[in-house]
Amino acid sequence: MNGDVGLPAFLLLGALMFVCGAVCMATKRNAIGVLMGVELVLNGANINFVAFAWFNPLFRVEGQVFALFVIVMAAAEAAIALAIVLNFYNNHTSVDVDAAEELKG
Amino acid sequence: MPVVFSDTSEWSTMVLPVLWALLSAFFLLGFVLVSAIFFVWLERKVSGRIQDRLGPTRVGGKFGWLQTVADGVKLLCKEDSIPAAADHFLFRLAPYLALCGSFVAFVALPFGNGVVARDMGVAVFFMLAVLSSEVFGVIMAGYGSGSKWSLFGGIREAAQVVSYEVPRTICVLIPVIVAGTLNLTEIVNQQNGFFWNWYIFHDPLNFIAFWVFFICGTSSCKRAPFDLAEAESELVAGFHTEYSGFRWLLFFMAEYGSMAAVCGIAVSLFMGGWHTGILPFDPALKLGESMGTAGMILGNLVNVVVFIVKGWGGIFVMMWVRWTLPRLRIDQVMMVCLKYLLPISCFLLVMIGVWQLMIPDIVSMVWKYGSAAATVILTAVWLINVWRKPSLSPPGVTGWATRPPALPGSSAGKEQAVAGV
Amino acid sequence: MSLQQALFWIVASLTGLSALMVVLTQNIVRAAAWLLFALAGTAGIYFLLGSDFVGAAQLIVYVGGTLVLVVFGVMLTAQGPFVNLKAGAGEWAFSLLIGIALYATLAVATLATAWPASDPPPADYRSTANVAALGEAFLGIREIAPVGDIPRVYPPRNRTRVSYLLPFEIVSVHLLVVLIGAAYLARAKRRRVVSEAAA
């Protein structure tokens, strides 16, 4: 059904989300903004998995299984990252990543 | 999507599916919006009767049929005020998020045999997933209003809705485990026949699961005794304090839409969906065998009417509960969820596995017929009691609430003037 | 242009645009709103690719769970100066350069590969049978043996279905442990009693 869309289109969309996430991680000063970048990266990779599940006959179940595992692990990682950010906020009253330099040097 | 054209011309690949999708969306939206209009009127009548008054009686005849339309016109004409401290983008976006969250769920809800916008293999899961994204409308409204009371209301509401999703999802799993599929059409088709085939009578765990699901569904619609975050007397209407006019109407529509969706899920999973329960067959299938497609459509009309009556009955119960029980505090709300409903639903989930695997057939048959018979007998006894002994009025009050005197210029007023009242 | 192409372009444009706006917007709460659209658009892509279960799981876990968590974190820390934190222009330029270079690499690699022609999925790809296959993979059901037939201990060579029961259990326990740890880390800590100073 998606033969006319083609696999490269989905892969390019996944790549776009990945790159947006990477740039987000690099440029946001708010720690939660960095976390949003991580979510975008994981979603970009997931699009790749599910696209391969559709287009490759041998990967029909595996692609979806992988995507589900990634979703679950991303949820776990977001929870921990947020707990760390909240602890940092409680101790330094700031979520600016530039303020997290006590371990520097 | 019925295969009408088998060629690959642009008409059949491009235009026809789009037309079909637009038609389905039009019917679904129309149904939900008309239902919402009806629910507003019903709520005011039900609340009036429970409070021993009449509700709207003037607009559109003796029963106030057009009161909701008048309300809608009033809300459309109100000033669209946005607070100065509000985040404009989020403030405007929030009602539409809530609306989409509650309306898209109807894509997977079957109203009859094959009367579904999209017959999905994961219908129940899809509906729960989409209904769970409605919480963003609340959060964005609470934050975007730029007022700390709205933010409090929004965050409390979000915590409540998200917490109650867990026992709600677990209770949905109970009949799904019995049915063996997530496809709502198949689940309802397994409850074909007389009413003792309904899953609510299948085992005691499903019976309890229905009530727990109903409570959790009521709470995740921010309704009934769990509406502290949006009530007028609490935090000055919580997250929609700053919303007036049409934007508030959208939140209201979203709430009634998600109530209808939750009742639809409850009816489909536990109460036999579109099956009448007193006919041993499905009218659509029976007439479809004898009369073909026309028979299926005719039978499905019966099915759709039965489904809507059952769903609206559930909503009537929600309204009844709202105007009877006092409101719960936020800590009581969270306590009920985390200390009572969640352990109960986990217990049900474990025991349904035990029931399915280890209970002998004779026990489950005895329970099925016995609980159905007990329900019928108890309902009959209660109805006869109510008929013979209506509940007592407070001392000094006789009879029902009386109709107020008619307005002087109306037709009823002229009749009263002629009669010399 | 067929209907599938049109749908793909609509959903993909929405998702890509939202992802770009997450990067470009300075307000952290608006970035959360754009992230919501990006994740919902990704769920739409999954539905277009016939993976209904993964799409619904994306909505319920990511949008209804993870993003609510992120937004709660934003609300808890969105005091005045932290809502609009701007990075310097040099950082932006460098990051954009790296980002564009990375995207160019990925795009060239994608477009230059000769993807093998694949069979379209079977007509019942979206049906209940597909969801059942997913469930059986997670439960580790490799073959339905007739009653009384004990499967061999070592996997036969011609087994075609894989069991994902072990990673499923590991991920479940992992999620439980991580969430308990996160709840413990983020607990409200009691303030020290000030009366020690007065005594």
Side-chain angles (χ1 to χ4, degrees), chain B residues 1 8 18 21 67 144 149 185 188 202 223 259 283 309 364 370 416:
Chain B
M1 167 69 207
T8 52
V18 171
Q67 180 70 42
W149 305 116
T185 315
V188 177
H202 184 267
R223 267 305 280 198
M259 273 168 67
V309 165
S364 82
Q416 287 181 358

Side-chain angles (χ1 to χ4, degrees), chain B residues 132-153:
Chain B
S132 78
S133 60
E134 198 187 332
V135 71
F136 274 104
V138 173
I139 296 180
M140 295 299 166
Y143 175 81
S145 298
S147 141
K148 64 168 82 76
W149 305 116
S150 301
L151 187 60
F152 278 174

Side-chain angles (χ1 to χ4, degrees), chain B residues 25-351:
Chain B
F26 172 74
F27 274 126
L28 274 179
L29 265 179
F31 170 72
V32 182
L33 289 176
V34 169
S35 302
I37 291 177
F38 176 68
F39 292 153
V40 173
W41 173 85
L42 186 68
E43 173 114 47
R44 295 178 69 158
K45 279 298 191 184
V46 164
S47 66
R49 286 291 178 175
I50 290 179
Q51 294 168 353
D52 199 22
R53 57 184 174 86
L54 284 171
T57 51
R58 299 207 193 274
V59 183
K62 215 166 60 158
F63 296 104
W65 293 112
L66 294 178
Q67 180 70 42
T68 317
V69 178
D71 281 340
V73 172
K74 172 199 78 172
L75 287 167
L76 278 174
C77 297
K78 273 196 175 180
E79 177 192 356
D80 181 22
S81 61
I82 301 181
D87 187 334
H88 278 244
F89 172 59
L90 296 175
F91 188 84
R92 286 171 209 262
L93 179 70
Y96 301 105
L97 281 178
L99 198 69
C100 291
S102 81
F103 276 10
V104 172
F106 284 92
V107 165
L109 185 66
F111 286 83
N113 206 336
V115 183
V116 58
R118 179 98 196 170
D119 196 14
M120 306 177 76
V122 292
V124 156
F125 194 28
F126 174 78
M127 288 188 75
L128 290 178
V130 172
L131 286 174
S132 78
S133 60
E134 198 187 332
V135 71
F136 274 104
V138 173
I139 296 180
M140 295 299 166
Y143 175 81
S145 298
S147 141
K148 64 168 82 76
W149 305 116
S150 301
L151 187 60
F152 278 174
I155 297 292
R156 277 187 193 173
E157 184 97 13
Q160 170 194 322
V161 168
V162 165
S163 305
Y164 272 91
E165 273 170 27
V166 180
R168 184 179 77 175
T169 311
I170 296 180
C171 285
V172 161
L173 277 180
I174 315 285
V176 163
I177 287 177
V178 171
T181 173
L182 285 169
N183 190 341
L184 271 173
T185 315
E186 281 181 35
I187 294 181
V188 177
N189 275 331
Q190 287 174 6
Q191 300 173 65
N192 199 352
F194 291 109
F195 64 93
W196 46 76
N197 283 332
W198 294 355
Y199 279 145
I200 191 176
F201 300 123
H202 184 267
D203 50 78
L205 308 160
N206 270 37
F207 189 77
I208 304 174
F210 171 71
W211 298 111
V212 176
F213 175 77
F214 201 71
I215 297 173
C216 296
T218 313
S219 173
S220 64
C221 297
K222 317 175 271 294
R223 267 305 280 198
F226 309 100
D227 60 349
L228 54 84
E230 64 172 27
E232 284 87 21
S233 55
E234 309 276 342
L235 296 177
V236 200
F239 68 94
H240 52 69
T241 311
E242 306 290 346
Y243 284 87
S244 64
F246 193 64
R247 299 185 202 279
W248 179 82
L249 187 67
L250 289 175
F251 272 120
F252 224 50
M253 295 272 162
E255 180 176 313
Y256 280 129
S258 59
M259 273 168 67
V262 163
C263 282
I265 297 177
V267 163
S268 300
L269 287 176
F270 294 100
M271 306 279 267
W274 60 78
H275 294 299
T276 50
I278 48 181
L279 294 173
F281 53 83
D282 184 352
L285 293 176
K286 193 75 181 278
L287 292 176
E289 279 167 14
S290 51
M291 293 181 358
T293 317
M296 270 208 82
I297 295 180
L298 220 61
N300 268 330
L301 281 178
V302 175
N303 284 343
V304 169
V305 167
V306 169
F307 183 82
I308 291 177
V309 165
K310 282 192 201 172
W312 284 358
I315 292 184
F316 171 73
V317 171
M318 279 188 184
M319 290 182 183
W320 179 14
V321 167
R322 174 185 181 177
W323 292 103
T324 311
L325 296 179
R327 195 167 285 139
L328 293 180
R329 280 195 327 261
I330 184 69
D331 63 314
Q332 290 170 332
V333 166
M334 301 307 284
M335 179 190 72
V336 164
C337 172
L338 296 171
K339 283 162 79 171
Y340 293 102
L341 293 182
L342 188 57
I344 290 177
S345 28
C346 291
F347 172 75
L348 291 176
L349 184 63
V350 170
M351 292 310 289

Side-chain angles (χ1 to χ4, degrees), chain A residues 4 28 39 43 54-55 62, chain C residues 2 25 39 49 62 118 164:
Chain A
D4 33 9
K28 294 277 186 200
E39 302 301 326
N43 272 283
W54 176 268
F55 284 98
E62 282 73 12
Chain C
S2 78
T25 185
L39 296 177
L49 284 169
Y62 247 121
S118 62
Y164 292 102

